[in-house]
Amino acid sequence: MAKRGLHLSKLTQSSVWKSLQKRLQPFDGLHMRSLFATDPDRFERFSAEACGIFLDYSKNLIDGETMDLLFTLAAQADVEGWRASMFAGERINTTENRPVLHTALRRETDKPLVIDDDDVMPGVASVLAQMREFSDAVRDGSWTGATGKRITDVVNVGIGGSNLGPRMLDKALRPYADTALRLHFVSSAGGGMIGGVLAEAPWESTLFLISSKTFTTEETILNARTARDWLVQQSGGEDALSHHFLAITANKTKATDFGIPAENVFELWDWVGGRYSLWSSVGLSAALAIGMDRFEELLAGARAMDEHFQSAPLQENLPVILAMLGVWYINFFNAKAHAIIPYDHRLSRFPAYLQQVDMESNGKAVDRDGQATDYDTAPVIWGKPGTDCQHSIFQKLHQGTDFLSADFLAAAEPHTPVGDHHKVLLANFLAQTEALMMGNTEDDVRADLESRGASVEETAALLPHKLFLGNRPTNTLLFKRLDPFTMGALIALYEHKVFVQGVVWNINSFDQWGVELGKNLADKMLGDLDNDGPAHLHDASTNGLINRLKEFRRCRGIR
Ligand code: G6Q
């Protein structure tokens, strides 16, 4: 897919791009083992630290000259200029004519930020205060359900950006959470999710957060209606709604039309993209779980990363380093995928969260000027927590045919110290990146097999299977503890990494027309599923599938 049009971009025609293409040559046949052997300072040279996050990027197919060229590429793409424009609230989301200001959500609220003659910070401060007041009230029991019962269950109803962030935080920050509150997340249109929650939730003590920036997203409204009907039926009327339903939205009118009182609406702004919204009241479920003081620590961590991103030279700038390593592999090594491997089950939803941040932001083939790109953009983001993933996907990492890069993440200190468990976890974490880099040699395999008494024939037969080529690039991110501050810094680090890549690729990272497409597609199909006659309006495959589905449903007695 690399060559999509005849148009040759300024990027691929630039001399620095061409120099990077030439830089590939020295790496042909070169093993990282020898890069380490010839450079005793490699670890010091290729590591950086900010906001409590230590990044070792020495286990990459790079040398000083390559990194210099990558930083030149970033500078020539004007990462610094675009960065300044984003933080200043310029309308860099051009296809939607919007500023991109999720960073305002974690900015110090007493520092004005004027957009179109309007300081946005008092609005941010006021919603933060509303979140504090509300979360305190739920947590201290002064906000109750309609019958006076203390809230025990909170259901976040939302999808995409209104789900993935809060859902990821629920798991990541659980050691800081009030265990008396159970959080549930309902996102998909499938009735199993909402049905499962409603089957268990005690209506008198359940709170629904209807989280939708637009308040028009089909799945969310469908789930919200089902929840509302359930509550009305359980409680015997609509009066209970004001105790049990809140809206997080930029569309207050739709929320109040739905039946949610205006005072239960938490405002959102059109300058907050869905996938960047967990810092706003979209993060209310997290604030309820961990309390507003902790939630503000999360914001402080992100703010610290914002400051680092804005002030550190490109060469020491964590988001820039990660971004440019990605560019190196995607555009010059033809890498198609990048793995996120946290050695922490609390981060099990982090890869899924980053999938949206990265692939929805940069999964684009048209640049800011509407030209087809003649270079690749977002990789497939994948991954799972270690050590589990060592027993599944790591085979491909170690011996598969694709060029794959990965980020490994771990905290030095566990939240739940149990014997030597954390040390064992860390030993695995370190051993894997070492093995991915080092691999083994034929001599190693031969010696190992011989020591196990293998015959000459057996050794010859097994040798190719037991050979690990190594030379697989990884970044290692270490931090002391996965506390709210660190979590905030980590998320912001990846947000800015994605931003830098978008700038280099000259794409608008902040629209999502592919997602908008999906929002309208199903309506027409629903009509076709309702029709009694055979489908004929689509292509042969879709018509055939509709008809077969109807047949299956008829057999099961469903209309
Ligand atoms: C995120 C996207 C998308 C969005 C959902 C939900 O950046 O825009 O994932 O968050 O489609 O949209 P609503 O919040 O408007 O329901």
Side-chain angles (χ1 to χ4, degrees), residues 159-162 211-217 220 273-276 356 360 512 515-516 519:
I159 197 164
S162 299
S211 185
S212 176
K213 184 174 154 185
T214 54
F215 223 83
T216 56
T217 304
T220 302
R275 55 193 172 278
Y276 299 94
Q356 189 196 23
E360 200 170 298
Q512 56 284 314
V515 174
E516 307 303 336
K519 289 192 177 183

Side-chain angles (χ1 to χ4, degrees), residues 96 98 157-164 211-221 248-250 268 272-277 282 356-357 360-361 509-512 515-516 519:
E96 295 180 304
R98 288 176 185 163
V157 179
I159 197 164
S162 299
N163 164 266
L164 288 161
S211 185
S212 176
K213 184 174 154 185
T214 54
F215 223 83
T216 56
T217 304
E218 187 181 28
E219 298 94 321
T220 302
I221 301 307
I248 296 155
T249 187
L268 265 184
V272 186
R275 55 193 172 278
Y276 299 94
S277 66
V282 168
Q356 189 196 23
V357 170
E360 200 170 298
S361 298
S509 302
F510 299 103
D511 58 12
Q512 56 284 314
V515 174
E516 307 303 336
K519 289 192 177 183

Side-chain angles (χ1 to χ4, degrees), residues 62-351:
I62 50 161
D63 56 10
E65 205 178 313
T66 310
M67 288 312 294
D68 287 348
L69 285 170
L70 288 168
F71 292 129
T72 305
L73 184 67
Q76 288 187 0
D78 196 20
V79 165
E80 285 147 309
W82 282 97
R83 181 181 68 191
S85 300
M86 175 172 74
F87 279 91
E90 287 172 27
R91 293 178 183 274
I92 62 168
N93 177 357
T94 45
T95 59
E96 295 180 304
N97 191 28
R98 288 176 185 163
V100 172
L101 269 181
H102 47 280
T103 53
L105 300 166
R106 55 228 194 187
R107 185 184 170 95
E108 277 156 347
T109 48
D110 56 358
K111 283 194 182 154
L113 182 61
V114 178
I115 311 296
D116 297 335
D117 301 326
D118 196 19
D119 181 5
V120 299
M121 293 315 294
V124 173
S126 141
V127 174
L128 284 172
Q130 187 189 4
M131 286 171 73
R132 177 174 289 279
E133 194 187 339
F134 179 70
S135 53
D136 283 354
V138 170
R139 286 163 64 86
D140 70 18
S142 52
W143 178 290
T144 64
T147 59
K149 286 231 165 101
R150 203 180 167 120
I151 299 300
T152 56
D153 291 74
V154 175
V155 187
N156 187 87
V157 179
I159 197 164
S162 299
N163 164 266
L164 288 161
R167 193 158 168 212
M168 180 269 294
L169 287 180
D170 169 38
K171 193 131 197 225
L173 299 180
R174 205 166 289 167
Y176 300 88
D178 179 348
T179 49
L181 269 186
R182 281 181 297 269
L183 299 193
H184 312 267
F185 293 86
V186 171
S187 49
S188 173
M193 272 184 131
I194 185 75
V197 170
L198 299 183
E200 284 176 12
W203 80 265
E204 290 172 283
S205 58
T206 297
L207 201 59
F208 293 92
L209 312 178
I210 312 302
S211 185
S212 176
K213 184 174 154 185
T214 54
F215 223 83
T216 56
T217 304
E218 187 181 28
E219 298 94 321
T220 302
I221 301 307
L222 182 67
N223 282 319
R225 283 203 193 109
T226 301
R228 185 186 58 188
D229 294 350
W230 173 82
L231 187 82
V232 168
Q233 193 242 328
Q234 296 279 323
S235 67
E238 297 207 341
D239 290 352
L241 283 179
S242 62
H243 291 263
H244 295 271
F245 269 73
L246 285 95
I248 296 155
T249 187
N251 194 342
K252 196 169 182 173
T253 313
K254 285 254 181 228
T256 49
D257 288 351
F258 180 88
I260 297 177
E263 60 279 14
N264 285 10
V265 176
F266 288 74
E267 189 183 0
L268 265 184
W269 303 273
D270 71 357
W271 42 260
V272 186
R275 55 193 172 278
Y276 299 94
S277 66
L278 66 77
W279 319 101
S280 70
S281 48
V282 168
L284 187 59
S285 57
L288 285 165
I290 63 175
M292 204 54 196
D293 287 347
R294 290 290 196 190
F295 190 80
E296 290 199 342
E297 287 171 25
L298 179 86
L299 300 184
R303 180 162 63 244
M305 187 54 74
D306 291 344
E307 283 159 11
H308 165 75
F309 178 48
Q310 288 179 93
S311 59
L314 299 182
Q315 293 78 355
E316 293 160 30
N317 200 305
L318 261 52
V320 176
I321 295 169
L322 287 182
M324 298 318 293
L325 288 166
V327 167
W328 178 228
Y329 294 134
I330 293 160
N331 298 123
F332 299 93
F333 284 77
N334 208 16
K336 302 287 181 215
H338 181 72
I340 305 289
I341 315 283
Y343 272 66
D344 190 335
H345 75 287
R346 299 229 162 269
L347 285 175
S348 62
R349 293 207 57 86
F350 198 45

